[in-house]
Amino acid sequence: MGFPGTWMTESESMVYRVVPKCACSTIGQIMYYSDHGAFFDGDIHDAKSGIHKWALDASQGPITENVTARKSYAFTCVRNPYTRILSSFFDKICGIQRNGRRYRGNMVPLLVQKYGIDVGGDDGKQEFDQIASFRRFLLFARDTIRWRRPMDPDIHWSAVSGHVSTFIINGGTYDNIFWTEQFNDGMQQVLDAVETPHKVDLAAIPRFNESEGHGPKRAHPVEDYFDDLSMHLMREIYKRDFDLFKYDFDNPGNKLPVGEIDLDEVHAKLGD
């Protein structure tokens, strides 16, 4: 299976397991800048050179050799399940993508038909009942993850622990897992631990949120979207994420972690 979703600097200063909706655009640009002294011109997800990616055939050999030999500092970044799935909903379901179309083509019409989801107008901006539509989307997300229908789960709302685990199962070891919510602290730990061709001043780095502006703004506090049934579904889908990455299941309004991530626990529980 190899190391899907893994990126590595060309200098092999660091290895990163991408987790969608967890600051991956900013992290990718920081990696690119650390090698080249300039940012990639465009969405870093579109880069076909200047950074190793598992999706690029020529990168698979160098990544495999590096990761299995533990040659470089390896890390990933995680996010609160409540805010992550809300972000996925507004970006991927309600929003218009960079190509000017809906995400995954016929998926939104299917959701409108089968789940009664309203996503506003084709400009991604029209008023609609965000809370009711999100809760219906959550049922759909649960169905894709639990029963793989009406389609396989999408990478943007499949569990973070699932993304993180493939790196471990196939022979990788993390040196650091940090939180999106405390990004500067975590990313600085990574930069302090490695030597890069170009120095990165984290305070001067812009945030590359490539999904910004695709969809409507969230109109309510996070906790308003989650009633008892929604929280039950969240536990069913993301219990391992809450437990391993120390997020507060009982209070959707608290996006901050409530404990320290135990790397030994993560490797033990996700390495089976």
Side-chain angles (χ1 to χ4, degrees), residues 1 26 54 73 113 148 156 160 214 256 269:
M1 185 176 177
T26 298
W54 184 259
Y73 192 90
Q113 178 191 354
R148 308 188 83 82
H156 296 90
V160 168
H214 284 180
L256 295 175
K269 291 188 174 175

Side-chain angles (χ1 to χ4, degrees), residues 30-209:
I30 288 171
M31 293 172 70
Y32 191 94
Y33 183 95
S34 75
D35 265 0
H36 305 291
F39 297 115
F40 177 72
D41 184 13
D43 186 338
I44 190 65
H45 293 84
D46 296 335
K48 299 287 194 295
S49 62
I51 186 170
H52 284 300
K53 298 178 176 179
W54 184 259
L56 305 174
D57 289 343
S59 294
Q60 293 188 359
I63 288 174
T64 299
E65 181 185 355
N66 185 298
V67 173
T68 53
R70 292 203 63 188
K71 288 167 63 176
S72 301
Y73 192 90
F75 71 98
T76 192
C77 181
V78 299
R79 184 177 181 183
N80 185 300
Y82 287 117
T83 55
R84 181 171 177 262
I85 195 162
L86 274 172
S87 175
S88 294
F89 172 68
F90 284 109
D91 173 18
K92 300 302 178 188
I93 306 304
C94 303
I96 304 300
Q97 306 307 299
R98 282 177 296 136
N99 60 13
R101 297 193 288 271
R102 292 283 184 187
Y103 181 60
R104 291 181 62 164
N106 65 350
M107 184 174 68
V108 169
L110 174 97
L111 290 175
V112 172
Q113 178 191 354
K114 287 188 175 292
Y115 290 84
I117 291 174
D118 180 6
V119 295
D122 282 341
D123 59 358
K125 302 289 197 283
Q126 185 177 310
E127 291 295 316
F128 63 99
D129 188 334
Q130 293 186 356
I131 291 174
S133 285
F134 169 74
R135 290 175 181 173
R136 289 170 181 159
F137 162 71
L138 191 56
L139 279 168
F140 162 75
R142 189 278 308 269
D143 291 349
T144 65
I145 289 166
R146 186 77 185 272
W147 294 295
R148 308 188 83 82
R149 63 173 193 257
M151 61 182 64
D152 282 350
D154 185 271
I155 60 170
H156 296 90
W157 55 80
S158 56
V160 168
S161 51
H163 292 289
V164 171
S165 70
T166 61
F167 189 79
I168 300 169
I169 289 168
N170 295 312
T173 303
Y174 291 104
D175 297 290
N176 195 339
I177 298 175
F178 63 89
W179 301 291
T180 306
E181 295 79 13
Q182 296 178 358
F183 180 82
N184 280 7
D185 291 344
M187 195 69 223
Q188 192 62 58
Q189 288 174 7
V190 174
L191 294 171
D192 288 346
V194 301
E195 290 188 20
T196 58
H198 295 270
K199 182 173 173 55
V200 177
D201 178 3
L202 201 54
I205 298 288
R207 293 294 174 263
F208 293 87
N209 184 356

